[in-house]
Amino acid sequence: MVMGLGKIFGGAPRLHNPLDEILGINMRNALIAKYNARSAIERARDKVAAKVALEAAGIACTGTVAVIDDHQKLGEFKPLRDMPDAWAIKPARGSQGDGILLAVRREGNTWFKGSGAALTEDAVMHHIQKVVDGGFSGDSAAEDAALIEPLIIADPALAGIVPEGLPDLRVISLHHTPLMAMVRLPTNESDGKANLHQRAIGAGIDMITGRITRAVVKGTPITHHPDTGVPLIGFAIPGWERVLELAANCGPAVGLGYCGADIVLDVNEGPLVIEVNAHPGIEIQNICQEGLKARIAATGEDFR
C-alpha cells in the first residue's frame, strides 16, 4: 500500500457529516498557492516539459513519436515516413482536449479516425502546423509544440465497459499521498471522449480496494454503463496499486505539492501517466460523494 493511505482510510468509519469535509474552491486555491510554484505550474501545463520531468524521475509515461516545436522541424517532418499506423497528436499547451487528433489505423497513404473519417497526409500536416502556430494553446500570439505519441490501446477489462474511446483515471494527491480518485468512461453521447462535460461517466473509486463505488452522468447516479449495459459498481480497476504508486510520485517529479494525475491503462504497458494537472477541479468530490478536506487534514495539513 502507498505510504500514508492506511492512516487516512483505515480504522473505523467517520461519524461526522461528510458535507463538512468538502474542499471549496477558495481552499483549493490556497493549497495551490502554498505548494505549487509558478515555475512548476508552467512545467505541468506544458505536456512536453512535464513528460521530460516525469521520465527523468522514472515515472512510466505514454511513448513519444516526435515533438515538433518549430517551423524547421515542421518542414523536415513527413507523416507517411515518420508516423506509425495509429497515433495521437496533442498540443503541448492545449487544455480540455482541444487540438487532440487521433488515428486508429492506416490503409495505404491514408489514416482513419475512430469515426471512420479519413485523414490524408496533407490534413495531418495542416493540423500539426495549426498546433505549432498556437491554434490550440489559448494564446493566439504564442507558438506551441505538437506532441505525437503512439495511440494507447486500452486494457481489455476497461475497454469492455465502454462502446469506444479510451477511459482514463484522475487521482488527486497532496505531496506523495493519493487522496481521491475517479475513472472517466466514454459514452456514445461523449463521442468516445473521457470528458465529463460531454456526458462521459465519472465513477468514484475506493482508494484501498480500487473498486468503483459510485457512478454518475451529469450528476445523475447510474449503476450500469448506458451503452454497453456493463455493471459499474464493484468493478475493480486493473493494476490499482501501480496506479497509486504513479500518482504518488507525479507531483513531486514535476515540482507540484497538490495535483491531479491523469493515468491510462495500456493493454501492454499497464498504467501510464498522460498528464499532470496543477489546478485539479473539485467536482470529483460530488462524483465520489466524499470530501477532500478531512483527507487532506489527515496528512497533517493545517487549514488555519
Side-chain angles (χ1 to χ4, degrees):
M1 182 186 299
V2 172
M3 184 173 63
L5 288 191
K7 175 182 176 182
I8 297 174
F9 302 103
R14 297 186 301 274
L15 299 179
H16 48 276
N17 186 347
L19 292 178
D20 294 337
E21 305 170 9
I22 296 297
L23 182 76
I25 193 70
N26 291 337
M27 195 171 290
R28 185 213 65 165
N29 290 344
L31 280 172
I32 291 170
K34 184 176 181 179
Y35 291 119
N36 294 356
R38 173 54 55 185
S39 59
I41 291 173
E42 287 300 312
R43 187 179 303 116
R45 188 184 171 210
D46 185 322
K47 294 180 180 64
V48 174
K51 197 172 193 179
V52 169
L54 291 166
E55 290 178 339
I59 295 172
C61 300
T62 49
T64 301
V65 173
V67 176
I68 312 298
D69 55 7
D70 59 40
H71 286 84
Q72 180 177 340
K73 291 180 182 176
L74 182 65
E76 296 170 352
F77 190 72
K78 305 295 182 186
L80 289 173
R81 179 193 67 196
D82 299 329
M83 295 176 72
D85 291 348
W87 43 257
I89 299 172
K90 303 175 182 179
R93 299 180 66 82
S95 62
Q96 298 185 333
D98 288 346
I100 294 178
L101 182 65
L102 308 176
V104 300
R105 73 181 194 279
R106 175 177 168 179
E107 296 178 9
N109 292 339
T110 304
W111 289 277
F112 292 88
K113 299 165 68 173
S115 64
L119 291 166
T120 64
E121 184 175 40
D122 285 345
V124 173
M125 282 298 296
H126 176 77
H127 186 81
I128 295 173
Q129 180 167 352
K130 185 174 180 180
V131 171
V132 174
D133 288 342
F136 303 103
S137 68
D139 181 353
S140 60
E143 292 187 349
D144 202 350
L147 174 60
I148 305 173
E149 299 177 334
L151 188 69
I152 297 296
I153 305 300
D155 179 286
L158 273 179
I161 295 178
V162 300
E164 63 172 325
L166 180 66
D168 67 14
L169 298 151
R170 162 65 62 88
V171 184
I172 306 290
S173 298
L174 179 63
H175 306 307
H176 284 283
T177 305
L179 300 171
M180 189 170 286
M182 66 177 171
V183 59
R184 296 174 289 207
L185 302 166
T187 62
N188 286 333
E189 277 197 86
S190 73
D191 195 28
K193 298 176 181 177
N195 188 320
L196 300 184
H197 299 293
Q198 297 179 8
R199 299 190 67 82
I201 297 165
I205 303 171
D206 182 277
M207 296 298 288
I208 299 299
T209 67
R211 292 183 178 274
I212 292 176
T213 58
R214 185 172 186 269
V216 299
V217 176
K218 281 287 188 179
T220 302
I222 59 173
T223 59
H224 293 66
H225 194 290
D227 303 315
T228 63
V230 175
L232 300 177
I233 309 305
F235 177 87
I237 303 298
W240 181 242
E241 283 294 323
R242 180 61 176 153
V243 168
L244 292 179
E245 289 173 9
L246 288 177
N249 292 312
C250 278
V254 178
L256 299 171
Y258 183 73
C259 74
D262 291 344
I263 297 170
V264 292
L265 304 183
D266 181 74
V267 63
N268 296 314
E269 303 295 331
L272 299 171
V273 177
I274 55 172
E275 191 170 344
V276 181
N277 193 308
H279 298 84
I282 58 176
E283 175 63 18
I284 189 172
Q285 298 173 106
N286 291 328
I287 291 169
C288 294
Q289 286 290 282
E290 291 281 350
L292 275 164
K293 186 177 178 182
R295 298 185 184 189
I296 293 170
T299 69
E301 176 66 27
D302 188 349
F303 285 101
R304 290 177 297 176

